[in-house]
Amino acid sequence: MSFKLGSINAKLFFIIIIFVCIPLLVLGQIWYQKTTAAIENNAVVYSQHLLNQTNEYLDFYLNDLEQATVPILSKPEVQSYLKLNPSTSNRYDRFVISEKIQNDSFGGILEGRSDIFGISLINKNGMQVHNYVKVKGYLDMGEIRNRNAKLWNNAKNLEPYQILDVDFIHHTPVLTIVRKVYDKNTFDNSGLLIVNLRLNKIASIINEVTLSHFKNVWIVNDNDKIIFHPNQSELGKTFSYEQNENHDEDRFFIIKSNNLKTLNIYDHSSQSNWTMVASVPLGKIMASLINLRSSTIWTGLIMIGVALLFVGGFSFFLTYSLSNLRKMMKKVESGNLTFEINKKPLPFYRNDEIAELYNSFYTMTNELNGLLEEVKHSKLIEKELEIKNRESELQAMQSQINPHFLYNTLEIINSYAIIENQMMISRMTTSLADIFRYNVSNSKTIVTLQEEIKQIHSYLQIQKERFEDLSVTFFLDEEMTKHVIAPRLSIQPIVENAFVHGYEDHELNPTFIGIYGKKEVQYYTLSIVDKGHGMSKEMMEMFNAAFKNNEEPPPDSKSTKRIGMINVHKRIYGNFGQPFGVYIKQSDENGTVVEVNLPYKNEEHRKEA
């Protein structure tokens, strides 16, 4: 086919060049510039959002910490301690009050909080009480007392609640938080509550949200002092912000060095008065998008070039066939999928690619008929699944509860109970809070037996308030329980079984629960004893056989409601294997003895046993 200026081929060629190629090149250049700016802007917006989100999480954490210290201030022993004077008070009375503050007031907030390094209280007469039990190794308390005394001497310049600069205690960087304590009668500032906070929780919050995105993240207080930095040597140094004309308004600026751009952003919290600063190379966060854009451009150019060549070379040979095919596709668009399969355009009625295209078209229309039916059926199923998913999401949302709200509520109830001298309510509330905190806040699957026993103490404290005749005995080597491990919440179900099946099922008033520990060579045996009415000998043997073979009891035995012990055994056996698990040593009219064999932490403690 010849190429002449007046020919259709020439006209088609110029049309493609003028109306396709040139507009595509111009639009492609504009699109390239716009997408580059858009990608950079999106990277900045995303980084700002991520940093702002991190700041909000940090504000929530600091607010929760502030609220957690409120109940301490109203405790009677704290108020009494504020009035103590070493020259007029009895030394024994001072010792008793100090012990109560250390164990109850401070111990309550320290329980389950690894972020608190230590806590102190100093009154207006210079007397101090501390709790730094979680600090390992030697700790110079004289240094801490001197720091606290300086803070009290400067109390008039402090806010009622203030977070001070970072400091080092025992080679550990800590943030010092001070809260003024007021006499509830005179409202005078009678002391300071001083909390030394580790930086590990702040680091965890920052790393959880920003570690995969930013290169460095640090925090600066209102005095421009660095109070958090991945490099500890930077802590306490003065931070100077980079200056440019728009950084105060935009809260970011970009530094160019050796053709590399580094994005620096910062976000200020009005609640903590801290500024969080982060830096990240723009190339790092834009690399994937730029590569995707470049790949898209080249793919598009190649596809357009191939398409133009195909159209320019073969369009005139295919005009009739494609026009006819277009007419048939119009029918498909209108919903008509029925055609005479053997009907083809006469000029191209031969066994070539055009014929195959028509054959494919007819095959496609037939398959489309079947697919339309499948799509209709699939849509119905999809709708049903969507409805079920929404119902599941609604049920999940309805079952959620805010643990912090629950803890704070129980603390408030406890405070009011103490104020009203309702000590039974206070004890039950404190025990219930400990149970909830252990059940909800502890994410560990395997814990020490000491932690489990603490949970049982809280549970039995509530039961003792319920049942006046209940006697509880613990005969354990507390030091040894630190070296014994167990699945979390594996002991409480057995103790609950003693109440439910040993006493309540037989309409007996609970009178005794005993928990005993014994060191063996291969394992540590924990015995749970009650004096209720036990099960039959056959039932006991059936359960022991199930424990031994690590299998479910016979189906008819499930009516006994003792499946909890089977589950406890499977958890212990599944984690530690033989010879660990549950065994019913005795169960008759005189009571039940359930033994739990648990492993030691390591071989060294097994040999000590």
Side-chain angles (χ1 to χ4, degrees):
M1 183 177 290
S2 62
F3 185 83
K4 299 179 180 180
L5 291 178
S7 66
I8 295 177
N9 284 335
K11 292 178 181 178
L12 181 61
F13 176 80
F14 287 116
I15 288 173
I16 291 173
I17 293 296
I18 296 172
F19 295 101
V20 178
C21 293
I22 294 177
L24 282 176
L25 289 174
V26 174
L27 292 175
Q29 180 64 24
I30 296 173
W31 178 80
Y32 183 88
Q33 295 174 353
K34 294 291 185 182
T35 53
T36 300
I39 290 173
E40 187 172 289
N41 183 66
N42 287 339
V44 171
V45 172
Y46 174 74
S47 298
Q48 287 177 323
H49 174 74
L50 193 63
L51 196 66
N52 178 260
Q53 186 181 36
T54 306
N55 230 347
E56 290 177 354
Y57 288 165
L58 188 59
D59 285 345
F60 179 82
Y61 163 69
L62 293 175
N63 183 65
D64 177 68
L65 179 65
E66 179 180 357
Q67 295 300 319
T69 61
V70 171
I72 297 178
L73 309 182
S74 61
K75 292 182 178 293
E77 59 267 23
V78 173
Q79 290 293 321
S80 298
Y81 192 84
L82 296 177
K83 302 174 184 178
L84 286 179
N85 190 316
S87 60
T88 60
S89 59
N90 181 275
R91 184 175 182 181
Y92 176 77
D93 292 339
R94 297 198 303 268
F95 172 79
V96 171
I97 294 176
S98 297
E99 281 290 300
K100 190 168 184 62
I101 292 176
Q102 289 174 346
N103 297 329
D104 296 343
S105 302
F106 292 170
I109 191 173
L110 287 172
E111 181 69 26
R113 294 200 71 126
S114 62
D115 54 337
I116 296 182
F117 184 82
I119 187 168
S120 302
L121 176 67
I122 180 171
N123 68 7
K124 61 184 179 181
N125 295 314
M127 295 178 59
Q128 300 185 29
V129 59
H130 318 272
N131 192 327
Y132 285 81
V133 296
K134 290 191 174 183
V135 180
K136 297 180 179 179
Y138 171 78
L139 185 62
D140 187 356
M141 294 305 298
E143 177 187 352
I144 293 176
R145 288 180 176 275
N146 292 334
R147 292 177 70 253
N148 294 344
K150 290 179 180 179
L151 289 174
W152 172 248
N153 293 333
N154 193 40
K156 63 181 179 180
N157 297 322
L158 298 176
E159 298 292 336
Y161 181 87
Q162 185 173 349
I163 302 177
L164 304 179
D165 294 342
V166 70
D167 203 350
F168 284 83
I169 300 179
H170 193 55
H171 306 295
T172 301
V174 297
L175 277 176
T176 301
I177 302 175
V178 295
R179 178 188 281 277
K180 291 183 178 180
V181 186
Y182 297 94
D183 189 290
K184 65 180 181 180
N185 296 319
T186 65
F187 301 103
D188 291 331
N189 180 18
S190 301
L192 283 180
L193 181 66
I194 303 167
V195 179
N196 290 310
L197 189 67
R198 300 178 191 267
L199 300 181
N200 59 340
K201 184 63 177 180
I202 296 178
S204 174
I205 292 173
I206 292 176
N207 291 338
E208 181 180 357
V209 182
T210 67
L211 182 62
S212 62
H213 184 78
F214 293 114
K215 180 180 179 181
N216 286 312
V217 179
W218 57 94
I219 299 174
V220 181
N221 66 8
D222 55 345
N223 295 323
D224 293 340
K225 297 292 185 180
I226 299 176
I227 60 174
F228 173 82
H229 198 283
N231 184 1
Q232 285 193 8
S233 63
E234 296 294 323
L235 296 176
K237 293 183 178 179
T238 301
F239 177 77
S240 60
Y241 295 89
E242 294 286 344
Q243 298 295 322
N244 73 0
E245 56 184 5
N246 294 322
H247 88 281
D248 287 330
E249 178 182 351
D250 298 333
R251 312 300 293 176
F252 78 94
F253 52 90
I254 296 175
I255 300 176
K256 296 181 180 179
S257 177
N258 298 327
N259 296 325
L260 296 177
K261 293 182 178 180
T262 301
L263 173 64
N264 293 267
I265 60 174
Y266 54 94
D267 184 78
H268 182 75
S269 169
S270 58
Q271 179 174 324
S272 64
N273 213 18
W274 290 353
T275 300
M276 188 173 293
V277 187
S279 67
V280 60
L282 271 177
K284 174 185 175 182
I285 56 179
M286 294 171 54
S288 60
L289 293 176
I290 291 175
N291 291 336
L292 178 61
R293 181 198 61 188
S294 300
S295 300
T296 303
I297 292 174
W298 283 108
T299 302
L301 289 174
I302 293 172
M303 292 179 65
I304 291 172
V306 172
L308 291 176
L309 289 174
F310 180 81
V311 171
F314 297 98
S315 60
F316 299 105
F317 296 98
L318 306 177
T319 301
Y320 181 83
S321 298
L322 294 179
S323 296
N324 188 68
L325 187 61
R326 180 175 174 274
K327 293 178 182 178
M328 289 190 292
M329 293 186 70
K330 285 289 185 182
K331 294 181 180 180
V332 174
E333 291 177 0
S334 64
N336 184 3
L337 297 176
T338 304
F339 299 95
E340 185 179 352
I341 296 178
N342 293 325
K343 183 179 180 180
K344 297 181 180 180
L346 292 177
F348 297 95
Y349 186 56
R350 59 182 180 270
N351 189 23
D352 58 7
E353 289 81 356
I354 300 302
E356 292 178 2
L357 181 61
Y358 274 82
N359 290 333
S360 299
F361 176 78
Y362 293 133
T363 302
M364 179 189 70
T365 55
N366 289 332
E367 291 180 352
L368 282 175
N369 272 320
L371 289 173
L372 284 174
E373 294 299 324
E374 293 180 8
V375 167
K376 291 179 182 178
H377 181 67
S378 298
K379 284 290 184 182
L380 292 175
I381 295 176
E382 184 179 352
K383 280 292 182 184
E384 293 177 358
L385 290 175
E386 183 179 357
I387 293 173
K388 290 180 180 179
N389 285 337
R390 290 186 180 275
E391 291 176 350
S392 299
E393 291 174 359
L394 179 61
Q395 291 175 357
M397 290 174 64
Q398 291 173 342
S399 66
Q400 290 178 352
I401 183 170
N402 188 329
H404 292 292
F405 173 78
L406 181 61
Y407 301 156
N408 292 338
T409 302
L410 290 173
E411 287 287 352
I412 291 171
I413 294 173
N414 182 39
S415 298
Y416 278 111
I418 293 173
I419 292 173
E420 296 296 330
N421 200 26
Q422 297 291 333
M423 301 314 294
M424 183 185 76
I425 297 176
S426 173
R427 290 191 298 271
M428 293 185 72
T429 303
T430 303
S431 298
L432 184 60
D434 291 341
I435 290 174
F436 275 117
R437 184 176 291 106
Y438 184 77
N439 290 352
V440 176
S441 300
N442 194 339
S443 60
K444 295 187 295 184
T445 304
I446 304 299
V447 298
T448 64
L449 181 59
Q450 184 186 49
E451 295 176 84
E452 282 289 281
I453 294 301
K454 287 183 179 179
Q455 166 78 348
I456 298 303
H457 271 289
S458 300
Y459 171 76
L460 291 176
Q461 183 64 36
I462 295 176
Q463 295 290 41
K464 288 176 69 176
E465 300 294 347
R466 292 180 58 202
F467 306 107
E468 295 181 356
D469 297 333
L470 177 62
S471 173
V472 176
T473 298
F474 284 89
F475 193 78
L476 297 161
D477 183 348
E478 185 174 349
E479 183 63 28
M480 191 65 194
T481 59
K482 297 178 182 178
H483 307 297
V484 180
I485 55 176
R488 189 168 68 92
L489 295 175
S490 57
I491 307 302
Q492 183 175 334
I494 300 177
V495 179
E496 289 178 350
N497 269 353
F499 283 96
V500 175
H501 303 300
Y503 293 109
E504 294 180 11
D505 285 354
H506 301 284
E507 298 182 356
L508 298 175
N509 189 36
T511 57
F512 178 79
I513 293 292
I515 299 179
Y516 306 91
K518 183 179 179 182
K519 295 182 289 185
E520 303 289 353
V521 174
Q522 292 185 325
Y523 46 77
Y524 187 87
T525 300
L526 187 72
S527 300
I528 295 90
V529 180
D530 68 72
K531 294 185 178 180
H533 289 177
M535 63 185 79
S536 65
K537 182 178 180 181
E538 293 77 11
M539 184 69 68
M540 182 181 73
E541 292 176 349
M542 180 272 296
F543 270 101
N544 282 333
F547 296 148
K548 181 178 180 181
N549 299 319
N550 194 36
E551 60 185 17
E552 294 286 341
D556 56 350
S557 68
K558 293 185 179 181
S559 61
T560 62
K561 303 179 182 179
R562 292 183 174 90
I563 306 305
M565 286 198 298
I566 292 290
N567 292 335
V568 169
H569 175 80
K570 286 189 172 183
R571 290 179 62 203
I572 298 173
Y573 185 88
N575 279 286
F576 310 121
Q578 287 281 12
F580 308 108
V582 178
Y583 175 74
I584 304 175
K585 183 177 182 180
Q586 171 191 329
S587 188
D588 51 31
E589 292 298 316
N590 297 320
T592 299
V593 178
V594 178
E595 291 185 346
V596 184
N597 295 332
L598 298 171
Y600 299 102
K601 268 187 176 180
N602 49 49
E603 185 69 16
E604 179 182 350
H605 295 109
R606 186 187 72 79
K607 291 179 179 178
E608 291 177 357

